[in-house]
Amino acid sequence: MRRTVLTSDGLDLAVVEFGGAGPPILLLHGLMGRATTWWSVAQWLTRYGRVLGLDARGHGRSDARGPWTTGRMTADAAELLADVGPGVVIGHSMGGLHGLVLAARHPELVRALVVEDMGVDFRGRSVEDSRAWFGALNRPFASLAAVRQTFGRPRLEFGDYMAECVEERTDGYHLLARVEHAIGIATEWAERDHWDAVASVRCPVLLIEAEESVAPPGQMAQMARGMPLARHVLVPGTGHLVHAGDPAAYRSVVEKFMSTHM
């Protein structure tokens, strides 16, 4: 079931209700993604609570308007949790960063946090590299097979993930998230860090790192050392999408965490 939530700055954001009852479990997707990419994970999470997924502004079926900052997008998630009640936040990549900052700024809303393969300090990385990569995607795809082929190298699961993040129009399949908005989000990551958020988080935290992580080497382990109730797990043989690359390993560590903290 889908519904919308109105933000304090006047945007309608799409919310997917995956089912379940009890305390909220909020799922936050990565850059260029959408809430429905969490579908397979949400199916088993419903035993622990009411599972919701938020389409971040500019993603999925949510309205698209900046500012494209971690602070504003974190506020969007906070406003949803303020409406449904405090709960567990589970985020992948960009969503993991938003969850971390949310736990730091609104501890009353986050009982526990799962961060999947994301760092807090990407300063010095080239925004132009991101601009060139995203710019190459700013075109229609002839088919869903073409989407999977484009994004599925070197890991097939990312092709399947991105096939969920397009819509069909008369001239082909288009990404739901606009490239210029994604570049705006990535630009901030290259300019500032969020170590201050790490130092402020006091809830239980599970940090899941891919073997082929997007985070700078050693950074997720360092993040864990900066939070009093954090555990860091490295999942061998996985790329950035740990929950899709090794769903059994991801489920095992998350269910153990949820059983302890729900």
Side-chain angles (χ1 to χ4, degrees), residues 3-262:
R3 63 183 182 89
T4 61
V5 59
L6 182 65
T7 67
S8 58
D9 65 340
L11 268 66
D12 281 323
L13 302 185
V15 178
V16 177
E17 294 267 6
F18 288 104
I25 302 170
L26 178 60
L27 303 178
L28 302 176
H29 62 77
L31 186 64
M32 305 294 287
R34 65 188 303 191
T36 52
T37 59
W38 283 111
W39 187 86
S40 61
V41 173
Q43 302 314 296
W44 52 263
L45 276 176
T46 54
R47 66 180 290 188
Y48 298 98
R50 176 189 176 189
V51 183
L52 307 95
L54 175 66
D55 280 356
R57 62 175 57 208
H59 292 71
R61 296 300 178 186
S62 289
D63 287 348
R65 189 182 74 231
W68 305 109
T69 63
T70 298
R72 179 60 253 185
M73 298 174 82
T74 297
D76 294 340
E79 289 170 14
L80 174 58
L81 277 179
D83 180 55
V84 301
V88 173
V89 176
I90 299 177
H92 168 248
S93 193
M94 176 183 78
L97 176 61
H98 294 169
L100 188 78
V101 176
L102 176 62
R105 296 184 179 179
H106 300 278
E108 76 283 359
L109 296 177
V110 183
R111 294 178 174 175
L113 171 67
V114 178
V115 175
E116 178 187 349
D117 207 54
M118 188 59 174
V120 293
D121 190 352
F122 294 96
R123 289 173 298 167
R125 291 201 176 183
S126 172
V127 176
E128 292 308 313
D129 288 346
S130 297
R131 192 184 307 277
W133 187 82
F134 283 122
L137 306 176
N138 200 16
R139 57 178 174 80
F141 298 88
S143 66
L144 289 176
V147 176
R148 290 188 172 95
Q149 183 181 57
T150 299
F151 291 98
R153 295 188 297 263
R155 292 188 174 273
L156 294 176
E157 64 264 19
F158 198 59
D160 291 335
Y161 177 94
M162 291 306 298
E164 184 73 28
C165 303
V166 296
E167 65 176 358
E168 186 176 14
R169 303 177 192 167
T170 56
D171 60 343
Y173 289 84
H174 289 253
L175 295 170
L176 285 166
R178 292 172 59 177
V179 166
E180 60 267 32
H181 298 162
I183 292 171
I185 293 167
T187 296
E188 188 204 42
W189 296 347
E191 294 174 346
R192 65 153 299 179
D193 67 86
H194 292 282
W195 287 113
D196 58 335
V198 172
S200 298
V201 173
R202 293 294 179 266
C203 70
V205 181
L206 174 63
L207 296 162
I208 302 174
E209 183 175 2
E211 183 175 17
E212 299 174 15
S213 179
V214 302
Q219 190 173 121
M220 293 196 74
Q222 183 180 353
M223 290 161 58
R225 291 192 294 270
M227 294 179 282
L229 299 176
R231 179 189 177 209
H232 170 242
V233 176
L234 178 69
V235 183
T238 57
H240 185 44
L241 280 165
V242 180
H243 68 268
D246 192 339
Y250 177 88
R251 179 173 180 173
S252 177
V253 296
V254 172
E255 285 204 305
K256 183 178 180 179
F257 181 77
M258 297 292 287
S259 296
T260 303
H261 299 293
M262 286 298 290

